[in-house]
Each structure stands twice: as C-alpha cells, then as structure tokens.
Amino acid sequence: DIQMTQSPSAMSASVGDRVTITCRASQDISTYFAWFQQKPGKVPKRLIYGASRLQSGVPSRFTGSGSGTEFTLTISSLQPEDFATYYCLQHRNYPYTFGQGTKLEI
Amino acid sequence: EVQLVESGGGLVKPGGSLRLSCAASGFSFSHYDLSWVRQAPGKGLEWVSAISSSGYSYYAGSVEGRFTISRDNAKNSVFLQMNSLRAEDTAVYYCARELGPDWGQGTLVTVSS
C-alpha cells in the first residue's frame, strides 16, 4: 500500500501568514493527488486535484505543487476561514490513502 | 445539482451487521466510480472502499473480507454491506463521487455493546 506522510501534524499561524504543508508518498504517484480541507463537523472539501489544479470556487491563495513523491499546499495569505484540518490523498493505486492530516490553528 | 444522501447508520453490537446506502442524483450515475470514506471520532479520513463504473470493487485492508460494496445503477444507489463489525469501525461514513468535490453529509455508525 502507498503511505502518505504529511508534515507538520499541527501548526499555529496568524492571519496574513504564508503557510506550506507537505505530503510525501512512499512511491511515485505521478499527479494522482489531491488536497482536502475539513472544518469541524463539516464534510471534507476538495481544494486541489491533479496535484496543482485549483478546484472551481476555491480562492487563488491556495496553490498545490509537486509530482512523484513530494507535494506541497501553500496558502499565500491566511484568512480566518482557512483555519481547518488539511488532508492529502493519493489515488494512483488502490487502496487509496489519505495523509494523517495537518491541523492549522490560530 | 449533484446530491449524495447516505442512510442506514445506527448503533450495532460488535459482530453485528449494517447496510449503508447512498442515493445519488444530479449526474449520470452509471458513468462514475463511487467511494466510501470514513472518519472515526476525532480522527482523520480513511478511504474504505470504491466501486468502479464497470462494477469492480476495491477495499482497504482494514475492511477486506468484512465489507462489500455494490451498486444499483437503476436506482442510482451505492451500498456498503458491513459484517463482523468491530468497535474500531465506529465512524461517520461518507459517500463520494470519484473523491472529487461531491460528497454526502455522512451517516454515523456506532459499534458498541
């Protein structure tokens, strides 16, 4: 199975900060990769697909990059509504696997 | 508008069974893969199972042999039959279309004596 390792597991930041979250795959997954955001009690929301493609309706301050085994999600200027938990997902091979999550706190 | 509505969750004893349903609307159901994803209380997301548009099924190792996914294209529905349930299967179960932007609201499964 492909393991997805996210870092950090948690982080604190302030409104206006630039933030980067990293996800590493245990083997090459090309760009079969996505980022999700989840707020407490809410359904996960896909932000990025194909490693770097912005989901329609998602603000442009969210940027995804990477391919192969290393991926990053960058939020250029944190807004209050961005404080949430972020998950990466590989869908290159079954079983699909999520990262363990990164909790972004104020 | 795409809609996915899960049902069938509830309280079940360890070793028991439960069948989840996900009713879909707003898209050509038969053309899409569907997945189940779960989230235990206070934990992260875990992909559970998927069924392709052609009916092939896939499972996480943690549920292989206990869970069975199926679909009924005539009823625009996907199902998850869960047998031999364990306490660690307690979670909110989400139905998702191709793990894209379309997810249901989830149904809670609690396995407890």
Side-chain angles (χ1 to χ4, degrees), chain B residues 4-70:
Chain B
L4 297 163
V5 180
E6 302 94 338
S7 60
L11 175 63
V12 62
K13 289 181 168 53
S17 298
L18 215 53
R19 188 187 193 220
L20 304 184
S21 300
C22 173
S25 60
F27 63 99
S28 296
F29 180 81
S30 63
H31 293 171
Y32 289 88
D33 299 353
L34 279 296
S35 276
W36 287 96
V37 175
R38 69 184 180 184
Q39 187 168 38
K43 303 297 184 182
L45 300 173
E46 180 186 16
W47 176 84
V48 172
S49 181
I51 187 164
S52 72
S53 56
S54 49
Y56 291 99
S57 55
Y58 306 90
Y59 301 94
S62 57
V63 306
E64 181 94 52
R66 299 188 299 124
F67 289 12
T68 302
I69 192 170
S70 61

Side-chain angles (χ1 to χ4, degrees), chain A residues 3-97:
Chain A
Q3 308 303 317
M4 303 300 290
T5 304
Q6 271 183 252
S7 60
S9 297
M11 64 183 301
S12 297
S14 300
V15 172
D17 283 355
R18 179 184 178 90
V19 165
T20 298
I21 299 169
T22 298
C23 193
R24 176 177 291 126
S26 60
Q27 64 188 73
D28 188 341
I29 58 170
S30 184
T31 56
Y32 292 88
F33 181 88
W35 287 103
F36 288 82
Q37 176 195 65
Q38 188 181 32
K39 298 179 180 179
K42 299 298 186 182
V43 177
K45 173 185 177 182
R46 192 173 72 171
L47 303 175
I48 301 287
Y49 66 98
S52 61
R53 297 172 184 261
L54 192 66
Q55 184 68 45
S56 175
V58 173
S60 58
R61 63 180 179 272
F62 291 92
T63 304
S65 64
S67 67
T69 61
E70 296 278 343
F71 302 86
T72 59
L73 174 69
T74 299
I75 310 172
S76 59
S77 178
L78 272 175
Q79 298 302 300
E81 60 269 29
D82 300 337
F83 291 94
T85 301
Y86 294 83
Y87 296 94
C88 62
L89 166 74
Q90 73 80 18
H91 56 100
R92 175 66 180 86
N93 289 335
Y94 288 110
Y96 293 169
T97 40

